[in-house]
Amino acid sequence: MSLFRSPRFPRLGSPRWEATAAALAVLAGAACAKQNDPPPGAASGARRLVVGFSQVGAESGWRTANTKSIKDEADKRGVTLKFSDAQGEQENQIRAIRSFIQQKVDFIAFSPKTEDGWQAVLEEAKKAGIRVVLTDRAVRVTDSTLYETFIGSDFIEEGRRAAECLAKRTGGKAMIAELQGTPGSAPALDRKKGFEAELAHYPGMTIVKSASGNFERAKGKEVFEAFLRSPEGARINALFAHNDDMALGAIQAIEAAGKRPGVDIVAVSIDGVHDAFQAMLDKKLSCSVECNPLLGPQLFDVIEKLSQGQHVPKRIVTQEGVFTADQVTADLIQSRRY
Ligand code: GYE
């Protein structure tokens, strides 16, 4: 017997049916309202913002801290976050952005894997009237109105600072092996650019090997092992890694080859994640140039401003410094938030 004909369920169209239907509608409404209610403390009448965020992946300590910052901040502000991890694949990011468009989210934010390849999908978002905020990495598009702002670090400056630190530690004489980040990504392109520009002031410093370790620790180790086995391997006395994780992998390779990181091979890298601080305390890593992953508060500040019709600058640069091994103490490590 179907539920609709069960004696316990009112006949369709009867007064009792209408009362039951009305009660069900109220219940359904209450369930919806629960999802879209303003967070505690929000102005009355405010609706929860819905934000789609496409993360590039989980390749490094930096990325883990970045994801946590975004999720925690959305939670704190009562923003409904639709989070998608692209596992390092640009196609997955494009698919996620298209799905956010279909779901009619209020805003889309993402950390683009590479600089190129976004024009079409950003045009689709614009056509749908959904505003886009870039975090962490930049894109190259022909129309800058395709996004509202780009929040993130100055990667050229980070590369320059890494070269400056390496020059100080090596007295301006170094045979450098470079571990590059993800090919085509803004941080890999710009960190290399900044590093090489600064290196031009030091005729005694040369890059003798350079390849990508994809910002991953295991890959950094593998590529550095190959560097050490190559004909130039014996001359390498410095490492520039585009992020800490690759430097930490390379340090393992250096030790496995019977060399002393920090003495036989001076290493510098970028990010300033917890494990890099430990390596600096152990004097295996000489400097880590800071790149702050805690972008959640800035991202949601911008989104809130945009949703209230306020203006935001087209570029928001994260303020950062440099950490050197001689500054690092166990207490400082304790106080680090990532
Ligand atoms: O330095 C690296 C990460 O885009 C700034 O990506 C980010 C970089 C970061 O995987 O560790």
Side-chain angles (χ1 to χ4, degrees), residues 59-60 62-63 136-137 155 187 191 215 242-243 271 291:
E59 72 283 0
S60 64
W62 189 99
R63 189 66 54 200
D136 163 32
R137 299 182 181 178
F155 298 134
R191 287 171 180 170
F215 283 132
H242 288 194
N243 80 343
D271 277 353
C291 179

Side-chain angles (χ1 to χ4, degrees), residues 274 329-337:
H274 180 274
T329 59
D331 282 351
L332 178 62
I333 298 186
Q334 285 295 317
S335 69
R336 297 288 301 162
R337 288 174 54 216

Side-chain angles (χ1 to χ4, degrees), residues 80-92:
T80 301
L81 183 70
K82 294 177 183 290
F83 184 91
S84 166
D85 177 345
Q87 300 179 343
E89 301 297 336
Q90 183 176 29
E91 304 85 78
N92 291 344

